[in-house]
Amino acid sequence: MISMLKGLVDTIAEDYVVLDVNGVGYQAFCSRRTLSQMPSVGEATRLEIETHVREDHIHLYGFIDEMERDWFKLLTTVQGVGARVCLAILSVLGPDELVQAIAAQDKAAVARANGVGPKLAGRIVLELKDKVAKFSLGGAALADKKTAAKESKASAPVANIADDAVSALVNLGYGRSDAYTAVVKAAQAMGDEATVEALIPAALKELSQ
């Protein structure tokens, strides 16, 4: 099983790169993000590799870093998401942007990828929300706030308050991911005193900066 390749760039195509590794050419399918960071033909590079073995073929998928490869593997756990769809998603959203989009349940951001319709985008953000929570600063912050709210017997979970604030900003015309990021920053600054009424203007201030 090939997990890494280091060699000279032989060919850069629309959706793959060929690496010359000691005289042997390895074709690895890549996202546009990875291809955009490839050096010129003849120069040395390294790719993280995911190997898919099927009855009729062996395909290599290459990634500029381990984070992108981890996201590729995570995306393939969603029903209906194959390797090519994963690369399409990773071509329009980097790892950090994916965390933000899924945490914000921003289906529109994921649906920007070729081959991803609204239904599939909705399944992706829904199924991966819990899996990526630990990678999301916002998710961690809201989880801590929810625990604090429970311990203080607050009347409404802080996570729900944040969701309401995000929805309000979306209704004002802001993108869901941008609204989510702004609300998270505002909530972190306010601490346990955050309310919907206080979060909305604070988040608007974040958005205006």
Side-chain angles (χ1 to χ4, degrees), residues 62-108:
F63 310 94
I64 197 65
D65 51 42
E66 292 184 2
M67 182 65 75
E68 189 182 46
R69 182 176 65 181
D70 289 345
W71 265 107
F72 177 88
K73 294 164 69 173
L74 184 59
L75 285 165
T76 57
T77 65
V78 178
Q79 182 181 0
V81 179
R84 291 304 182 99
V85 171
C86 287
L87 291 182
I89 294 172
L90 291 168
S91 290
V92 298
L93 295 171
D96 290 342
E97 293 170 316
L98 264 173
V99 169
Q100 180 174 308
I102 292 172
Q105 294 292 279
D106 190 349
K107 296 180 288 185

Short mmCIF file of all heavy atoms in Angstrom, two decimals, residues 62-108:
data_model
loop_
_atom_site.label_atom_id
_atom_site.label_comp_id
_atom_site.label_asym_id
_atom_site.label_seq_id
_atom_site.Cartn_x
_atom_site.Cartn_y
_atom_site.Cartn_z
N GLY A 62 -3.56 11.90 -4.54
CA GLY A 62 -2.47 12.64 -3.91
C GLY A 62 -2.93 13.90 -3.22
O GLY A 62 -3.87 14.57 -3.69
N PHE A 63 -2.26 14.24 -2.12
CA PHE A 63 -2.64 15.39 -1.31
C PHE A 63 -1.41 16.16 -0.87
O PHE A 63 -0.38 15.58 -0.53
CB PHE A 63 -3.45 14.94 -0.09
CG PHE A 63 -4.56 14.00 -0.45
CD1 PHE A 63 -4.38 12.62 -0.40
CD2 PHE A 63 -5.77 14.50 -0.89
CE1 PHE A 63 -5.39 11.75 -0.77
CE2 PHE A 63 -6.79 13.64 -1.26
CZ PHE A 63 -6.60 12.26 -1.21
N ILE A 64 -1.55 17.48 -0.83
CA ILE A 64 -0.42 18.33 -0.49
C ILE A 64 -0.03 18.21 0.97
O ILE A 64 1.11 18.48 1.35
CB ILE A 64 -0.74 19.81 -0.85
CG1 ILE A 64 0.53 20.64 -0.89
CG2 ILE A 64 -1.78 20.38 0.09
CD1 ILE A 64 1.49 20.25 -1.98
N ASP A 65 -0.98 17.79 1.82
CA ASP A 65 -0.67 17.63 3.25
C ASP A 65 -1.57 16.56 3.86
O ASP A 65 -2.53 16.09 3.24
CB ASP A 65 -0.82 18.96 4.00
CG ASP A 65 -2.15 19.65 3.74
OD1 ASP A 65 -3.18 18.95 3.72
OD2 ASP A 65 -2.17 20.88 3.57
N GLU A 66 -1.25 16.16 5.08
CA GLU A 66 -2.01 15.11 5.75
C GLU A 66 -3.43 15.54 6.08
O GLU A 66 -4.35 14.72 6.08
CB GLU A 66 -1.28 14.68 7.04
CG GLU A 66 0.03 13.96 6.78
CD GLU A 66 0.66 13.46 8.07
OE1 GLU A 66 0.05 13.63 9.14
OE2 GLU A 66 1.76 12.88 7.99
N MET A 67 -3.62 16.83 6.36
CA MET A 67 -4.95 17.32 6.69
C MET A 67 -5.91 17.10 5.53
O MET A 67 -7.05 16.67 5.72
CB MET A 67 -4.90 18.80 7.07
CG MET A 67 -6.24 19.37 7.49
SD MET A 67 -6.88 18.63 9.00
CE MET A 67 -5.81 19.44 10.21
N GLU A 68 -5.46 17.40 4.31
CA GLU A 68 -6.33 17.20 3.15
C GLU A 68 -6.62 15.71 2.96
O GLU A 68 -7.75 15.33 2.64
CB GLU A 68 -5.68 17.78 1.90
CG GLU A 68 -6.65 17.80 0.70
CD GLU A 68 -6.02 18.33 -0.57
OE1 GLU A 68 -4.89 17.91 -0.89
OE2 GLU A 68 -6.66 19.15 -1.24
N ARG A 69 -5.62 14.87 3.17
CA ARG A 69 -5.85 13.42 3.05
C ARG A 69 -6.83 12.93 4.10
O ARG A 69 -7.70 12.11 3.82
CB ARG A 69 -4.54 12.65 3.18
CG ARG A 69 -4.73 11.13 3.00
CD ARG A 69 -3.41 10.39 3.03
NE ARG A 69 -2.77 10.49 4.34
CZ ARG A 69 -1.60 9.94 4.63
NH1 ARG A 69 -0.92 9.28 3.68
NH2 ARG A 69 -1.07 10.07 5.82
N ASP A 70 -6.74 13.45 5.33
CA ASP A 70 -7.67 13.05 6.38
C ASP A 70 -9.10 13.44 6.02
O ASP A 70 -10.05 12.69 6.29
CB ASP A 70 -7.27 13.69 7.71
CG ASP A 70 -6.00 13.10 8.30
OD1 ASP A 70 -5.59 12.01 7.83
OD2 ASP A 70 -5.42 13.71 9.21
N TRP A 71 -9.26 14.63 5.42
CA TRP A 71 -10.59 15.06 5.01
C TRP A 71 -11.12 14.20 3.88
O TRP A 71 -12.31 13.88 3.83
CB TRP A 71 -10.55 16.53 4.58
CG TRP A 71 -10.94 17.44 5.69
CD1 TRP A 71 -10.13 18.26 6.42
CD2 TRP A 71 -12.25 17.62 6.23
NE1 TRP A 71 -10.84 18.92 7.38
CE2 TRP A 71 -12.14 18.56 7.28
CE3 TRP A 71 -13.49 17.08 5.93
CZ2 TRP A 71 -13.26 18.96 8.03
CZ3 TRP A 71 -14.59 17.48 6.68
CH2 TRP A 71 -14.46 18.41 7.70
N PHE A 72 -10.26 13.80 2.98
CA PHE A 72 -10.65 12.89 1.89
C PHE A 72 -11.22 11.60 2.48
O PHE A 72 -12.30 11.13 2.08
CB PHE A 72 -9.44 12.59 1.02
CG PHE A 72 -9.67 11.61 -0.09
CD1 PHE A 72 -10.13 12.05 -1.34
CD2 PHE A 72 -9.42 10.26 0.09
CE1 PHE A 72 -10.33 11.15 -2.37
CE2 PHE A 72 -9.64 9.35 -0.95
CZ PHE A 72 -10.09 9.80 -2.18
N LYS A 73 -10.52 11.03 3.44
CA LYS A 73 -10.96 9.78 4.07
C LYS A 73 -12.26 9.97 4.83
O LYS A 73 -13.14 9.10 4.82
CB LYS A 73 -9.86 9.25 4.99
CG LYS A 73 -8.60 8.83 4.22
CD LYS A 73 -7.39 8.67 5.12
CE LYS A 73 -7.51 7.50 6.03
NZ LYS A 73 -6.23 7.27 6.78
N LEU A 74 -12.40 11.13 5.49
CA LEU A 74 -13.62 11.39 6.25
C LEU A 74 -14.82 11.58 5.32
O LEU A 74 -15.91 11.06 5.58
CB LEU A 74 -13.43 12.64 7.12
CG LEU A 74 -14.58 13.01 8.06
CD1 LEU A 74 -14.87 11.87 9.04
CD2 LEU A 74 -14.23 14.28 8.83
N LEU A 75 -14.61 12.31 4.24
CA LEU A 75 -15.71 12.55 3.30
C LEU A 75 -16.22 11.26 2.67
O LEU A 75 -17.42 11.11 2.40
CB LEU A 75 -15.26 13.52 2.21
CG LEU A 75 -15.15 14.98 2.61
CD1 LEU A 75 -14.36 15.77 1.57
CD2 LEU A 75 -16.54 15.60 2.81
N THR A 76 -15.33 10.30 2.44
CA THR A 76 -15.74 9.05 1.81
C THR A 76 -16.58 8.19 2.74
O THR A 76 -17.14 7.18 2.29
CB THR A 76 -14.52 8.24 1.33
OG1 THR A 76 -13.63 7.98 2.43
CG2 THR A 76 -13.77 8.95 0.23
N THR A 77 -16.69 8.54 4.01
CA THR A 77 -17.55 7.77 4.93
C THR A 77 -19.02 8.14 4.73
O THR A 77 -19.90 7.44 5.24
CB THR A 77 -17.18 8.03 6.41
OG1 THR A 77 -17.43 9.41 6.75
CG2 THR A 77 -15.72 7.72 6.66
N VAL A 78 -19.29 9.22 4.00
CA VAL A 78 -20.67 9.64 3.74
C VAL A 78 -21.21 8.87 2.53
O VAL A 78 -20.55 8.82 1.49
CB VAL A 78 -20.75 11.16 3.48
CG1 VAL A 78 -22.19 11.57 3.16
CG2 VAL A 78 -20.22 11.93 4.68
N GLN A 79 -22.38 8.30 2.67
CA GLN A 79 -22.98 7.54 1.58
C GLN A 79 -23.17 8.41 0.34
O GLN A 79 -23.68 9.53 0.44
CB GLN A 79 -24.33 6.98 2.01
CG GLN A 79 -25.02 6.14 0.95
CD GLN A 79 -26.37 5.63 1.41
OE1 GLN A 79 -26.80 5.90 2.52
NE2 GLN A 79 -27.04 4.88 0.54
N GLY A 80 -22.74 7.89 -0.79
CA GLY A 80 -22.89 8.63 -2.04
C GLY A 80 -21.73 9.53 -2.38
O GLY A 80 -21.74 10.18 -3.44
N VAL A 81 -20.72 9.56 -1.51
CA VAL A 81 -19.55 10.41 -1.76
C VAL A 81 -18.37 9.52 -2.15
O VAL A 81 -17.78 8.85 -1.31
CB VAL A 81 -19.18 11.26 -0.53
CG1 VAL A 81 -17.95 12.11 -0.84
CG2 VAL A 81 -20.35 12.16 -0.14
N GLY A 82 -18.05 9.52 -3.44
CA GLY A 82 -16.92 8.74 -3.92
C GLY A 82 -15.66 9.59 -3.98
O GLY A 82 -15.65 10.78 -3.62
N ALA A 83 -14.58 8.98 -4.45
CA ALA A 83 -13.28 9.65 -4.47
C ALA A 83 -13.30 10.91 -5.33
O ALA A 83 -12.76 11.96 -4.93
CB ALA A 83 -12.21 8.69 -4.98
N ARG A 84 -13.93 10.84 -6.50
CA ARG A 84 -13.93 12.00 -7.39
C ARG A 84 -14.74 13.16 -6.79
O ARG A 84 -14.38 14.33 -6.95
CB ARG A 84 -14.49 11.62 -8.77
CG ARG A 84 -13.58 10.68 -9.56
CD ARG A 84 -12.19 11.27 -9.72
NE ARG A 84 -11.30 10.43 -10.50
CZ ARG A 84 -11.04 10.60 -11.77
NH1 ARG A 84 -11.60 11.58 -12.45
NH2 ARG A 84 -10.21 9.79 -12.40
N VAL A 85 -15.84 12.84 -6.12
CA VAL A 85 -16.64 13.88 -5.46
C VAL A 85 -15.83 14.51 -4.33
O VAL A 85 -15.86 15.73 -4.14
CB VAL A 85 -17.97 13.31 -4.93
CG1 VAL A 85 -18.69 14.34 -4.06
CG2 VAL A 85 -18.86 12.90 -6.09
N CYS A 86 -15.10 13.68 -3.59
CA CYS A 86 -14.24 14.21 -2.52
C CYS A 86 -13.25 15.23 -3.07
O CYS A 86 -13.07 16.30 -2.49
CB CYS A 86 -13.47 13.08 -1.84
SG CYS A 86 -14.45 12.02 -0.79
N LEU A 87 -12.61 14.88 -4.18
CA LEU A 87 -11.63 15.80 -4.77
C LEU A 87 -12.30 17.08 -5.25
O LEU A 87 -11.73 18.17 -5.16
CB LEU A 87 -10.90 15.12 -5.92
CG LEU A 87 -9.96 13.98 -5.55
CD1 LEU A 87 -9.26 13.43 -6.80
CD2 LEU A 87 -8.92 14.41 -4.53
N ALA A 88 -13.53 16.95 -5.77
CA ALA A 88 -14.26 18.14 -6.21
C ALA A 88 -14.54 19.07 -5.03
O ALA A 88 -14.40 20.29 -5.13
CB ALA A 88 -15.57 17.73 -6.89
N ILE A 89 -14.93 18.48 -3.88
CA ILE A 89 -15.19 19.28 -2.69
C ILE A 89 -13.92 19.93 -2.19
O ILE A 89 -13.88 21.13 -1.87
CB ILE A 89 -15.81 18.40 -1.58
CG1 ILE A 89 -17.19 17.92 -2.01
CG2 ILE A 89 -15.91 19.18 -0.26
CD1 ILE A 89 -17.80 16.88 -1.07
N LEU A 90 -12.83 19.17 -2.14
CA LEU A 90 -11.56 19.70 -1.67
C LEU A 90 -10.96 20.72 -2.64
O LEU A 90 -10.07 21.47 -2.27
CB LEU A 90 -10.57 18.55 -1.45
CG LEU A 90 -10.91 17.63 -0.27
CD1 LEU A 90 -10.06 16.36 -0.31
CD2 LEU A 90 -10.71 18.35 1.04
N SER A 91 -11.48 20.75 -3.87
CA SER A 91 -11.02 21.74 -4.84
C SER A 91 -11.61 23.11 -4.57
O SER A 91 -11.02 24.13 -4.94
CB SER A 91 -11.38 21.30 -6.27
OG SER A 91 -10.61 20.17 -6.66
N VAL A 92 -12.78 23.15 -3.93
CA VAL A 92 -13.43 24.45 -3.67
C VAL A 92 -13.38 24.85 -2.20
O VAL A 92 -13.56 26.03 -1.87
CB VAL A 92 -14.90 24.44 -4.15
CG1 VAL A 92 -14.96 24.21 -5.64
CG2 VAL A 92 -15.72 23.40 -3.42
N LEU A 93 -13.12 23.89 -1.32
CA LEU A 93 -13.06 24.18 0.12
C LEU A 93 -11.83 23.52 0.73
O LEU A 93 -11.67 22.30 0.66
CB LEU A 93 -14.31 23.66 0.84
CG LEU A 93 -15.66 24.30 0.49
CD1 LEU A 93 -16.79 23.51 1.13
CD2 LEU A 93 -15.70 25.75 0.94
N GLY A 94 -10.95 24.34 1.32
CA GLY A 94 -9.81 23.79 2.04
C GLY A 94 -10.26 23.18 3.36
O GLY A 94 -11.42 23.35 3.77
N PRO A 95 -9.39 22.46 4.06
CA PRO A 95 -9.76 21.84 5.33
C PRO A 95 -10.39 22.80 6.34
O PRO A 95 -11.42 22.48 6.95
CB PRO A 95 -8.43 21.29 5.84
CG PRO A 95 -7.68 20.97 4.60
CD PRO A 95 -8.03 22.07 3.64
N ASP A 96 -9.81 23.97 6.52
CA ASP A 96 -10.37 24.94 7.48
C ASP A 96 -11.76 25.41 7.05
O ASP A 96 -12.66 25.58 7.87
CB ASP A 96 -9.44 26.15 7.64
CG ASP A 96 -8.15 25.79 8.36
OD1 ASP A 96 -8.11 24.74 9.02
OD2 ASP A 96 -7.18 26.56 8.24
N GLU A 97 -11.92 25.62 5.75
CA GLU A 97 -13.22 26.06 5.23
C GLU A 97 -14.27 24.96 5.37
O GLU A 97 -15.44 25.24 5.62
CB GLU A 97 -13.08 26.48 3.77
CG GLU A 97 -12.22 27.72 3.57
CD GLU A 97 -11.89 27.95 2.11
OE1 GLU A 97 -11.54 26.99 1.41
OE2 GLU A 97 -11.98 29.11 1.67
N LEU A 98 -13.84 23.71 5.24
CA LEU A 98 -14.77 22.59 5.41
C LEU A 98 -15.25 22.49 6.85
O LEU A 98 -16.43 22.26 7.11
CB LEU A 98 -14.09 21.28 4.99
CG LEU A 98 -14.35 20.82 3.55
CD1 LEU A 98 -13.48 19.62 3.22
CD2 LEU A 98 -15.82 20.48 3.36
N VAL A 99 -14.33 22.65 7.79
CA VAL A 99 -14.72 22.64 9.20
C VAL A 99 -15.77 23.71 9.46
O VAL A 99 -16.79 23.47 10.10
CB VAL A 99 -13.49 22.87 10.11
CG1 VAL A 99 -13.93 23.12 11.55
CG2 VAL A 99 -12.56 21.67 10.06
N GLN A 100 -15.51 24.90 8.94
CA GLN A 100 -16.43 26.02 9.15
C GLN A 100 -17.77 25.76 8.50
O GLN A 100 -18.83 26.01 9.10
CB GLN A 100 -15.81 27.29 8.58
CG GLN A 100 -16.68 28.54 8.75
CD GLN A 100 -15.95 29.79 8.30
OE1 GLN A 100 -14.85 30.07 8.73
NE2 GLN A 100 -16.58 30.54 7.42
N ALA A 101 -17.76 25.26 7.26
CA ALA A 101 -19.01 25.02 6.54
C ALA A 101 -19.86 23.95 7.22
O ALA A 101 -21.08 24.10 7.35
CB ALA A 101 -18.71 24.61 5.10
N ILE A 102 -19.21 22.89 7.69
CA ILE A 102 -19.96 21.82 8.33
C ILE A 102 -20.46 22.24 9.71
O ILE A 102 -21.60 21.96 10.09
CB ILE A 102 -19.10 20.54 8.41
CG1 ILE A 102 -18.88 20.00 7.00
CG2 ILE A 102 -19.76 19.48 9.29
CD1 ILE A 102 -17.89 18.87 6.91
N ALA A 103 -19.62 22.93 10.45
CA ALA A 103 -20.05 23.41 11.77
C ALA A 103 -21.23 24.37 11.64
O ALA A 103 -22.14 24.37 12.48
CB ALA A 103 -18.89 24.10 12.49
N ALA A 104 -21.22 25.17 10.58
CA ALA A 104 -22.30 26.13 10.34
C ALA A 104 -23.48 25.51 9.62
O ALA A 104 -24.50 26.18 9.39
CB ALA A 104 -21.78 27.32 9.54
N GLN A 105 -23.34 24.22 9.22
CA GLN A 105 -24.37 23.54 8.43
C GLN A 105 -24.67 24.32 7.15
O GLN A 105 -25.82 24.51 6.75
CB GLN A 105 -25.64 23.34 9.26
CG GLN A 105 -25.48 22.38 10.43
CD GLN A 105 -25.26 20.93 9.97
OE1 GLN A 105 -26.20 20.24 9.63
NE2 GLN A 105 -24.00 20.49 9.96
N ASP A 106 -23.60 24.78 6.52
CA ASP A 106 -23.69 25.59 5.31
C ASP A 106 -23.72 24.68 4.08
O ASP A 106 -22.69 24.42 3.45
CB ASP A 106 -22.51 26.56 5.25
CG ASP A 106 -22.66 27.61 4.16
OD1 ASP A 106 -23.57 27.46 3.33
OD2 ASP A 106 -21.87 28.57 4.16
N LYS A 107 -24.90 24.21 3.73
CA LYS A 107 -25.04 23.31 2.59
C LYS A 107 -24.65 23.99 1.29
O LYS A 107 -24.09 23.34 0.39
CB LYS A 107 -26.49 22.82 2.50
CG LYS A 107 -26.93 21.98 3.68
CD LYS A 107 -28.36 21.52 3.52
CE LYS A 107 -29.34 22.68 3.69
NZ LYS A 107 -30.76 22.22 3.65
N ALA A 108 -24.95 25.26 1.16
CA ALA A 108 -24.66 25.99 -0.08
C ALA A 108 -23.16 26.00 -0.38
O ALA A 108 -22.75 25.90 -1.54
CB ALA A 108 -25.19 27.41 0.01
#
